[in-house]
């Protein structure tokens, strides 16, 4: 007789001393792990609930301005430094890590329209309603006088600096001026039409490419080397701001007055590649995350929304009771925070991922989070999980406005369908949402 | 990885190379861990036209493939080997008595064969899920819980009432006893924690560990599920089967299988008052029913001395059919597929070899056997009679390698507490008890009717004109043209109202 009975030597299964870690023998045989799918589903459900429980995006606010904030400007290399300009002509430099104001300048007479850092971060340029362009020393905190002041002949509304060359462009009444830092007269002047321009942005990759938004509802692309204006698209309503995608620099997103944001591919400007809806009032500002996968938008409806580039609806909405109409938003260069400036004189700092834990995570914590994220992604389509993931409490005015907008949209759809069914074939063509908002493209 | 290994073995060029890459994996082992054939993502035949989506799916498939391969490779790390019993030439394994077995095995294993003389018989008993603890319940009120490996008694009480069934709850710290009228929950010191009066006249108890449900079948045919984590009765209804005397759970989908006197095994979940499935297994009443711990097969026995094995995943069968010399009153499946049958005072263990069941071991007791159960993760079979409980050695019955993240026979108090919290966190809701536990992973395809209905609901299609002749009422203030128009408008609005799911 040959016999063997299962015996487990406890020495092999128990730890030797109390200081040891426990021995965890594993056996991945699927038969020993029943109910894998329902258990995973339960875990995913718990994970998504916890994510909503821990979604506390508001980090803090920076107070100190005496008037509404008009613009913010991120430092190109220091994460903690931020510039903000206000309607009373004051510029403040902030230390975001400490939450303190490090410097206050009375820079202009009237509204600060825009500010920008020189790419090396040593100086910054501000423009204001007093038609001057002032260059400041960023390092010297004591100095109250600008390094250089240029008087422009026209009203200025925005400024952007070239990525590498010592060249910046301002826009204003119908013109774009290109300046060199050392000279007091513009190098070039670009012009298309007579309407004033209110935003201009250099492309971060194709460094000499420039895009601007005009008040005649147009978006104009310029080549700053020789050619000047390249092309122009005209939309139904005007675009307030635009932002280039830092990773796919051939696309940009513009914030439009018609409550939507539009992402364009400059190789095919005829229609936008995506329409991002969800705001219920005009979108004022937009800024891309450094990953180029998401962008943040601030709107006149007192809310901030975060969109994914390839999605039509926002993944997140931020609002507080005290936050008023947004004037500017920015996505910090470490992809972790969102900074917003609004009408009621406060700068606010938000987390880019609402439920993210700040600070250093333990390895176990990190692994658990990764596991949870994977499970949420796997079961994302299940109705219960989707419902929890999507649900956001929004202020009453947004809630009501959304219902109203929905009714309007449905009414238009119905009207169009009825008109189509009662007219001769092909006289009422179908028009996609993307085509609807664009009027024409000029070359 | 797999590709290169194959190439290395097939390609003639590489044969003389010194290192051939990772060792190839046995196909059978791979098949054991396989998660299904996966998606066919070859470009030509594919329905998925979007390149990006296809690429994403391909990457996912690759991850799954890698995971399967890794877990198949991890089989090398399993330390224990399962037990076995081989007969010498001219002998059969059924000839061997327990005495001979204990003489031939090591001392620790021999200590697992023991006998308890008891006096409040006939006894029913349960092992915990990790096989360490034993709970005995005597018909005449004797209840005892102890660690049978170390023989350390946790508690011993007499409830002074008849005891019909006992079961452990999720841990060895609590157990439920079906007594004369009601079900009681005790802790491992024998202190009564709860009296569940909603479960009355219970004859059979089952605990569904992943759902934290205590299920019971009563003598008047009622079935009840109680969530022990929140103390809520999930469902309770009459099964209309009469006295429930045969009830087991299917460990792979948590469905209760109830055998009745007409030879039908019906499967019950707390979500419907009708059985999820019914199987006509025999033409006479069913004596007992046992389900493989992995949820593959079900064995049923009948008064006509037959035992049938069914495929319980597909609800087909019988896979095999046995005729015994006397009817089997109790049955139990072990983790490795041994089937123990008790026939009068004889306990016989059957083993499946290539489709048919052959006797493997035999044991005789003085009195009729009341209950047989295999101990999980130990090569031990427990049997109880009117005046004794004995633990028999059955080599090769149990799974040798446990997964400590699932069930740990060697767990410490601290680990037990942590495991309890984890288990509670992933408690499966009772709504998910279905015949197929993977149903939640399936794609919900809308039916043609649903599609048509959603199309009809679209708001921008002009609603149908509603023209109806209202009843003429003579009562004052009830009729009138304005009223009729108003009613029509309300009806029109009702007909086109669309529930919108926009949340934000």
């Amino acid at each position: 007789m040959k016999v063997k009975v299962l015996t487990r030597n406890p020495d092999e299964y128990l730890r030797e001393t109390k200081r040891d870690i426990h021995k965890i023998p594993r056996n991945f045989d699927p038969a020993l792990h029943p109910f894998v799918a329902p258990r995973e589903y339960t875990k995913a459900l718990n994970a998504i609930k916890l994510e909503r429980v821990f979604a506390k995006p508001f980090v803090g606010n920076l107070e100190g301005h005496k008037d509404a904030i008009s613009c913010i400007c991120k430092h190109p290399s220091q994460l903690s430094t931020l510039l903000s300009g206000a309607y009373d002509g004051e510029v403040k430099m902030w230390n975001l890590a400490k939450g303190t104001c490090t410097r206050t300048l009375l820079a202009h007479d009237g509204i600060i329209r825009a500010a920008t850092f020189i790419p090396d971060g040593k100086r910054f340029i501000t423009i204001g309603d007093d038609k001057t362009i002032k260059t400041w020393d960023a390092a010297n905190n004591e100095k109250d006088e600008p390094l250089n002041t240029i008087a422009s002949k026209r009203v200025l509304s925005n400024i952007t600096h070239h990525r590498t060359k010592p060249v910046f462009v301002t826009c204003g009444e119908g013109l774009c001026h290109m300046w060199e830092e050392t000279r007091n007269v513009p190098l070039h002047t670009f012009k298309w039409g007579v309407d004033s321009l209110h935003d201009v942005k250099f492309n971060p990759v194709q460094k000499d490419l420039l895009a601007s938004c005009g008040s005649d509802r147009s978006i104009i692309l310029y080549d700053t080397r020789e050619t000047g204006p390249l092309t122009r698209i005209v939309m139904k309503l005007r675009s307030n701001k635009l932002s280039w995608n830092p990773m796919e620099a051939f696309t940009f997103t513009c914030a439009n007055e018609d409550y939507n944001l539009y992402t364009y591919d400059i190789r095919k400007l005829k229609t936008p590649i995506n329409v991002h809806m969800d705001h219920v009032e005009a979108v004022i500002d937009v800024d891309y995350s450094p990953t180029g996968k998401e962008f943040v938008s601030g709107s006149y409806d007192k809310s901030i929304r975060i969109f994914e580039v390839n999605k039509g609806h926002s993944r997140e909405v931020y609002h507080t009771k005290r936050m008023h109409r947004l004037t500017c938003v920015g996505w910090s260069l470490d992809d972790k925070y969102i900074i917003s400036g609004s009408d009621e004189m406060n700068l606010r700092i938000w987390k880019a991922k609402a439920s993210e834990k700040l600070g250093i995570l333990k390895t176990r914590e990190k692994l658990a989070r990764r596991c949870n994220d994977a499970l949420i992604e796997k079961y994302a389509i299940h109705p219960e999980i989707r419902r929890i993931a999507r649900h956001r409490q929004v202020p009453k005015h947004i809630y009501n406005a959304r219902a109203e907008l929905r009714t309007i949209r449905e009414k238009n759809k119905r009207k169009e369908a009825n008109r189509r069914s009662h007219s001769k074939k092909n006289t009422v063509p179908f028009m996609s949402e993307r085509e609807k908002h664009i009027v024409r493209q000029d070359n | 990885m797999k590709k290169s290994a194959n190439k290395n073995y097939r390609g003639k060029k590489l044969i003389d190379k010194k290192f051939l890459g990772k060792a190839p994996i046995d196909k059978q082992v791979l098949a054991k861990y396989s998660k299904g054939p996966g998606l066919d993502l070859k470009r030509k035949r594919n329905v998925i036209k979007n390149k990006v989506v296809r690429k994403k799916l391909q990457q996912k498939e690759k991850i799954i493939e890698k995971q399967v391969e890794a877990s198949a490779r991890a089989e090398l790390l399993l330390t224990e080997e399962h037990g076995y019993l081989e007969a010498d030439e001219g002998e059969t394994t059924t000839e061997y008595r327990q005495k001979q077995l204990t003489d031939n095995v090591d001392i620790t294993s021999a200590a697992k064969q023991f006998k308890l003389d008891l006096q409040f018989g006939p006894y029913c008993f349960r092992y915990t899920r990790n096989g360490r603890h034993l709970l005995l319940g005597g018909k005449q009120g004797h209840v005892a819980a102890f660690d049978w490996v170390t023989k350390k008694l946790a508690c011993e009480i007499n409830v002074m009432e008849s005891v019909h069934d006992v079961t452990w709850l999720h841990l060895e710290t609590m157990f439920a006893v079906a007594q004369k009228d009601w079900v009681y929950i005790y802790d491992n010191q024998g202190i009564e924690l709860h009296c569940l009066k909603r479960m009355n006249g219970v004859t059979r108890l089952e605990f569904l560990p992943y759902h934290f449900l205590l299920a019971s079948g009563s003598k008047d045919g009622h079935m009840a599920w109680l969530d022990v984590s929140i103390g809520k009765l999930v469902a309770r209804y009459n099964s209309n089967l009469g006295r429930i005397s045969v009830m087991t759970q299917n460990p792979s989908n948590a469905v209760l299988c109830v055998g009745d006197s007409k030879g039908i095994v019906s499967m019950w979940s707390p979500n419907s008052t009708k059985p999820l499935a019914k199987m006509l297994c025999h033409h006479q009443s069913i004596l007992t029913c046992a389900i493989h711990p992995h949820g593959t097969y079900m064995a049923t026995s009948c008064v006509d001395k037959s035992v049938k094995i069914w495929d319980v995943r597909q609800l087909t069968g019988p896979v095999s059919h046995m005729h015994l010399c006397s009817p089997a009153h109790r049955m139990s499946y072990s983790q490795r597929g041994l089937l123990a049958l008790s026939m009068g005072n004889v306990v016989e263990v059957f083993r499946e070899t290539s489709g048919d069941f052959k006797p493997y071991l035999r044991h005789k007791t003085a009195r009729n056997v009341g209950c047989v159960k295999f101990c999980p993760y130990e090569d031990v079979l427990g049997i109880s009679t009117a005046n004794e409980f004995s633990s028999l050695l059955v080599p090769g019955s149990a799974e040798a390698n446990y997964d400590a993240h699932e069930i740990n026979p060697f767990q410490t108090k601290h680990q037990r507490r942590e495991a309890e919290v984890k288990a509670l966190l992933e408690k499966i809701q009772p709504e998910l008890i279905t015949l197929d536990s993977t149903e939640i992973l399936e794609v919900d395809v809308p039916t043609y009717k649903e599609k048509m209905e959603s199309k009809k609901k679209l708001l921008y299609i002009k609603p149908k004109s509603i023209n109806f002749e209202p009843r003429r009422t003579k009562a004052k203030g009830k009729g009138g043209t304005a009223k009729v128009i108003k009613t029509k408008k309300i009806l029109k609005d009702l007909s086109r109202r669309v529930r919108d799911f926009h949340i934000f």
Side-chain angles (χ1 to χ4, degrees):
Chain A
M1 164 165 60
K2 257 174 85 181
V3 61
K4 191 213 160 214
V5 176
L6 191 62
T7 44
R8 296 194 183 85
N9 185 0
D11 293 346
E12 286 166 20
Y13 290 94
L14 295 174
R15 55 181 180 175
E16 281 167 19
T17 63
K18 277 201 165 176
R19 293 189 165 189
D20 267 348
I21 52 166
H22 288 287
K23 286 182 179 168
I24 304 287
R26 299 302 307 270
N27 185 354
F28 298 104
D29 188 352
L32 295 182
H33 300 267
F35 299 108
V36 173
R39 280 161 80 191
E40 270 188 351
Y41 172 75
T42 314
K43 273 189 192 172
L45 201 62
N46 286 341
I48 193 77
K49 282 179 187 169
L50 284 181
E51 199 181 289
R52 294 318 304 153
V53 166
F54 292 124
K56 303 257 186 284
F58 185 65
V59 178
N61 74 333
L62 308 172
E63 48 188 315
H65 273 296
K66 294 184 210 74
D67 206 338
I69 289 156
S70 59
C71 63
I72 54 173
C73 173
K74 295 172 280 186
H75 194 280
S77 54
Q78 290 173 9
L79 285 174
S80 64
T81 310
L82 181 84
L83 276 185
S84 65
Y87 274 57
D88 58 355
E90 215 172 47
V91 171
K92 276 183 186 279
M93 192 183 265
W94 302 90
N95 186 330
L96 291 181
K98 289 180 184 163
T100 52
C101 175
T102 52
R103 191 175 176 188
T104 309
L105 296 167
L106 191 62
H108 291 275
D109 209 12
I111 303 169
I112 308 281
R113 284 295 169 184
T116 183
F117 270 103
I118 310 271
D120 62 5
K122 284 176 184 157
R123 281 162 293 155
F124 60 89
I125 308 169
T126 58
I127 54 169
D129 266 5
D130 56 357
K131 298 186 193 173
T132 53
I133 305 166
K134 290 183 180 173
T135 312
W136 307 81
D137 192 350
N140 192 348
N141 275 358
E142 273 73 58
K143 204 173 174 192
D144 281 349
E145 294 301 312
L147 296 175
N148 186 20
T149 306
I150 306 169
S152 160
K153 282 177 189 151
R154 290 167 179 268
V155 173
L156 302 164
S157 59
N158 220 320
I159 184 171
T160 177
H161 200 282
H162 193 277
R163 176 95 187 274
T164 47
K165 288 184 207 159
V167 161
F168 61 90
V169 169
T170 59
C171 66
E173 270 177 293
L175 295 175
C176 264
H177 287 303
M178 187 157 92
W179 309 78
E180 204 174 357
E181 281 168 24
T182 49
R183 290 170 58 166
N184 283 353
V185 281
L187 282 178
H188 281 292
T189 303
F190 309 115
K191 190 169 188 258
W192 192 331
V194 290
D195 291 277
S196 65
L197 303 167
H198 46 259
D199 192 27
V200 65
K201 287 270 160 67
F202 263 116
N203 189 318
V205 175
Q206 282 293 328
K207 294 168 204 157
D208 297 309
L209 190 65
L210 194 66
S212 76
C213 303
S215 59
D216 61 341
R217 307 166 296 158
S218 63
I219 297 168
I220 311 170
L221 292 182
Y222 303 92
D223 189 336
T224 55
R225 283 165 293 197
E226 277 304 316
T227 29
L230 293 171
T231 181
R232 174 170 83 161
I233 41 173
V234 181
M235 302 183 67
K236 283 226 170 117
L237 286 178
R238 78 167 214 188
S239 300
N240 285 322
K241 277 276 162 61
L242 62 77
S243 176
W244 289 98
N245 186 333
M247 298 310 279
E248 289 176 353
F250 50 85
T251 60
F252 66 85
T253 299
C254 61
N256 204 289
E257 281 283 299
D258 64 359
Y259 315 169
N260 297 340
L261 292 115
Y262 300 91
T263 304
Y264 282 97
D265 187 332
I266 53 169
R267 300 167 298 183
K268 185 177 163 290
L269 280 169
K270 211 158 195 182
T271 55
I273 51 174
N274 217 337
V275 183
H276 311 277
M277 301 178 174
D278 263 349
H279 279 297
V280 294
E281 269 176 76
V283 191
I284 302 296
D285 199 2
V286 57
D287 192 28
Y288 261 96
S289 85
T291 58
K293 292 204 166 142
E294 287 169 323
F295 58 82
V296 60
S297 66
S299 157
Y300 214 58
D301 63 10
K302 305 177 190 171
S303 71
I304 301 166
R305 282 184 187 266
I306 300 173
F307 291 86
E308 280 166 55
V309 174
N310 51 1
K311 297 266 165 64
H313 288 277
S314 62
R315 75 157 167 85
E316 194 69 77
V317 56
Y318 294 160
H319 55 85
T320 65
K321 222 174 205 173
R322 290 163 192 238
M323 187 166 74
H324 249 258
R325 316 209 179 279
L326 272 298
T327 51
C328 45
V329 285
W331 198 309
S332 77
L333 291 176
D334 59 349
D335 194 28
K336 276 195 170 167
Y337 301 99
I338 283 163
I339 299 138
S340 70
S342 47
D343 260 0
E344 77 330 313
M345 307 182 276
N346 276 326
L347 277 170
R348 288 193 169 75
I349 306 169
W350 309 81
K351 285 189 254 180
K353 281 197 193 101
S355 58
E356 193 183 34
K357 193 182 167 192
L358 297 180
I360 299 163
L361 296 181
K362 281 182 188 164
T363 321
R364 275 176 67 189
E365 219 170 351
K366 257 188 234 166
L367 288 177
R369 266 165 195 269
R370 250 163 50 193
C371 174
N372 281 352
D373 288 346
L375 281 174
I376 290 170
E377 197 210 326
K378 184 174 176 185
Y379 289 90
I381 216 85
H382 282 261
E384 188 66 8
I385 288 177
R386 192 168 48 178
R387 186 183 67 79
I388 295 169
R390 282 173 47 157
H391 179 77
R392 298 287 182 283
Q393 205 77 34
V394 288
K396 211 176 214 172
H397 71 96
I398 295 182
Y399 186 85
N400 292 340
R402 220 169 42 199
E404 195 184 327
L405 275 179
R406 197 182 305 139
T407 325
I408 293 169
R409 230 169 259 149
E410 275 161 4
K411 185 215 92 184
N412 286 339
K413 258 188 184 170
R414 190 178 59 221
K415 187 172 179 183
E416 201 189 311
N418 285 340
R419 181 173 285 162
R420 189 171 291 127
S421 66
H422 288 103
S423 41
K424 212 171 140 190
K425 231 180 181 181
N426 298 334
T427 46
V428 186
F430 283 99
M431 211 167 195
S432 72
E433 186 66 39
R434 294 180 202 170
E435 288 165 350
K436 262 181 207 167
H437 306 279
I438 196 154
V439 178
R440 64 173 189 277
Q441 183 185 2
D442 306 331
N443 283 316
Chain B
M1 206 181 295
K2 204 178 95 196
K3 229 183 221 171
S4 70
N6 286 344
K7 216 187 257 172
N8 290 350
Y9 281 100
R10 276 194 213 137
K12 280 170 190 162
K13 265 189 272 172
L14 298 170
I15 238 111
D16 52 337
K17 254 197 167 179
K18 202 171 180 184
F19 301 107
L20 297 172
K22 282 194 177 174
I25 312 168
D26 187 8
K27 274 194 181 152
Q28 277 185 335
V29 179
L30 264 183
K32 179 176 154 193
Y33 292 97
S34 162
K35 308 210 163 191
L39 284 172
D40 178 24
L41 293 164
K42 294 269 162 55
R43 191 171 295 166
K44 272 180 192 169
R45 285 171 287 169
N46 212 311
V47 265
I48 300 161
K49 291 280 177 283
N50 190 329
K51 250 192 261 173
V52 179
V53 175
R54 199 165 55 215
K55 197 81 201 166
K56 269 185 189 165
L57 287 171
Q58 271 169 355
Q59 271 164 358
K60 261 184 197 165
E61 288 293 320
K62 245 183 218 170
I63 290 171
I64 293 170
E65 220 170 81
K66 257 189 189 171
Q67 188 208 335
V68 168
E69 200 193 305
S71 36
R73 280 195 193 284
E75 201 161 76
L76 201 73
L77 303 173
L78 300 181
T79 48
E80 293 288 337
E81 260 185 73
H82 50 77
Y84 53 83
L85 173 63
E86 281 167 24
D88 294 335
E89 261 182 59
E91 291 176 337
T92 54
T93 49
T94 44
E95 287 169 16
Y96 299 133
R97 300 279 84 92
Q98 285 294 315
K99 178 79 178 51
Q100 283 166 284
L101 287 180
T102 43
D103 290 343
N104 281 298
V105 296
D106 53 318
I107 309 167
T108 41
S109 307
K112 285 173 190 165
Q113 201 263 326
F114 63 93
K115 206 168 104 179
L116 301 175
D117 285 325
L118 305 162
Q119 47 178 332
F120 297 98
Y123 276 85
C124 55
F125 66 93
R126 292 286 173 121
Y127 289 102
T128 48
R129 284 204 301 146
N130 61 13
R132 272 303 279 255
H133 298 265
L134 183 66
L135 177 64
L136 285 170
K139 185 84 182 168
Q140 293 166 47
H142 176 213
V143 176
F146 59 102
D147 184 338
W148 70 267
V149 181
T150 56
K151 316 285 189 303
K152 208 177 125 192
L153 188 70
C155 75
E156 189 171 21
I157 49 173
N158 198 319
V159 296
M160 308 302 280
E161 262 183 346
S162 62
V163 168
H164 297 276
D165 203 358
V166 288
T167 183
W168 290 104
L169 297 191
H170 57 287
L171 290 178
E172 62 267 22
T173 52
M174 275 185 283
F175 56 86
V177 180
Q179 295 179 17
K180 189 183 133 220
D181 289 326
W182 303 308
V183 174
Y184 289 79
I185 293 178
Y186 298 92
D187 75 353
N188 63 350
Q189 291 164 346
I191 299 165
E192 181 188 320
L193 300 177
H194 294 288
C195 167
L196 308 171
K197 293 196 177 175
R198 296 297 304 276
M199 291 181 164
N200 57 325
V202 168
T203 51
R204 284 281 168 268
L205 278 176
E206 280 293 335
F207 184 72
L208 315 175
Y210 291 101
H211 302 75
F212 284 82
L213 291 179
L214 180 67
S216 68
S218 70
K219 62 186 174 195
D220 55 354
H222 274 86
M223 311 193 58
W225 284 263
L226 179 102
D227 192 327
V228 295
S229 64
I230 52 174
K232 203 181 100 188
L233 197 71
V234 172
R236 183 174 188 272
Y237 47 78
N238 193 348
S239 63
N240 296 320
L241 291 175
R243 183 188 172 86
I244 293 172
S245 53
V246 180
M247 188 173 94
T248 47
Q249 62 163 308
N250 184 342
S252 72
N253 58 11
V255 163
L256 292 183
C257 299
V258 177
D260 65 8
S261 56
K262 290 172 192 157
I264 296 172
V265 171
S266 46
M267 306 194 172
W268 299 82
S269 90
N271 304 318
S272 76
T273 49
K274 293 262 153 43
L276 300 178
K278 276 181 176 180
M279 286 174 86
L280 178 63
C281 296
H282 297 276
H283 291 289
Q284 278 166 296
S285 75
I286 287 175
L287 284 177
T288 177
C289 157
I291 296 180
H292 195 287
H294 299 166
T296 47
Y297 296 108
M298 175 171 77
T300 56
S301 87
C302 178
V303 279
D304 66 358
K305 303 174 192 173
S306 66
V307 169
K308 288 182 185 173
I309 313 290
W310 305 84
D311 185 348
V312 83
R313 287 176 295 187
Q314 300 186 334
L315 302 176
T316 53
V319 184
S320 61
H321 193 166
M322 281 189 285
H323 279 286
L324 308 168
C325 41
S326 60
H329 284 275
R330 290 283 176 268
M331 282 197 290
S332 173
Y333 248 119
S334 86
Q335 281 174 317
R336 295 195 62 240
L338 301 188
L339 183 64
L341 309 168
S342 78
M343 300 166 285
N345 63 343
V346 180
V347 175
E348 208 159 348
V349 179
F350 282 76
R351 185 167 59 171
E352 191 205 342
T353 41
S354 63
D356 52 332
F357 278 79
K358 293 265 171 61
Y360 177 57
L361 278 175
R362 197 170 286 146
H363 181 76
K364 265 187 194 171
T365 55
R367 298 233 208 146
N368 275 1
V369 175
C371 193
V372 289
K373 286 246 157 59
F374 276 104
C375 176
Y377 301 105
E378 290 286 358
D379 281 347
V380 160
L381 170 72
I383 59 170
S384 68
T385 63
N387 61 351
E388 66 169 38
F389 168 83
S390 46
S391 157
L392 312 176
L393 291 183
V394 181
S397 68
E399 177 66 49
N401 295 291
Y402 62 86
D403 190 307
H405 279 180
E406 195 80 41
I407 288 164
N408 189 355
F410 288 98
Q411 73 187 357
T412 59
K413 199 173 176 182
H414 187 79
Q415 280 175 321
R416 189 182 75 204
R417 285 175 177 165
E418 202 174 303
E420 185 181 18
V421 172
K422 286 242 169 82
L424 275 169
L425 278 175
E426 54 185 61
K427 181 184 84 172
I428 307 169
Q429 290 305 312
E431 290 83 54
L432 298 179
I433 299 181
T434 48
L435 273 181
D436 181 11
S437 69
T438 59
E439 203 168 82
I440 195 146
L441 289 180
E442 271 159 29
V443 180
D444 184 23
V445 184
T447 58
Y448 184 70
K449 199 180 161 193
E450 281 166 349
K451 272 188 209 163
M452 292 313 289
E453 247 153 39
S454 67
K455 215 172 199 182
K456 266 187 213 163
K457 268 188 183 168
L458 281 179
L459 196 65
Y460 54 83
I461 291 173
K462 211 172 195 175
K464 258 187 198 165
S465 61
I466 293 173
N467 260 328
F468 72 101
E469 282 298 310
R471 268 180 308 205
R472 295 192 68 82
T473 45
K474 293 271 171 69
K476 205 177 174 188
K478 290 280 163 79
T481 336
K483 179 91 180 175
V484 169
I485 289 167
K486 207 175 167 189
T487 321
K488 275 187 185 175
K489 196 168 174 251
I490 290 168
L491 281 174
K492 259 185 197 176
D493 281 349
L494 268 179
S495 71
R496 70 178 166 197
R497 183 168 295 161
V498 174
R499 285 193 70 190
D500 44 11
F501 299 98
H502 301 282
I503 293 163
F504 82 102

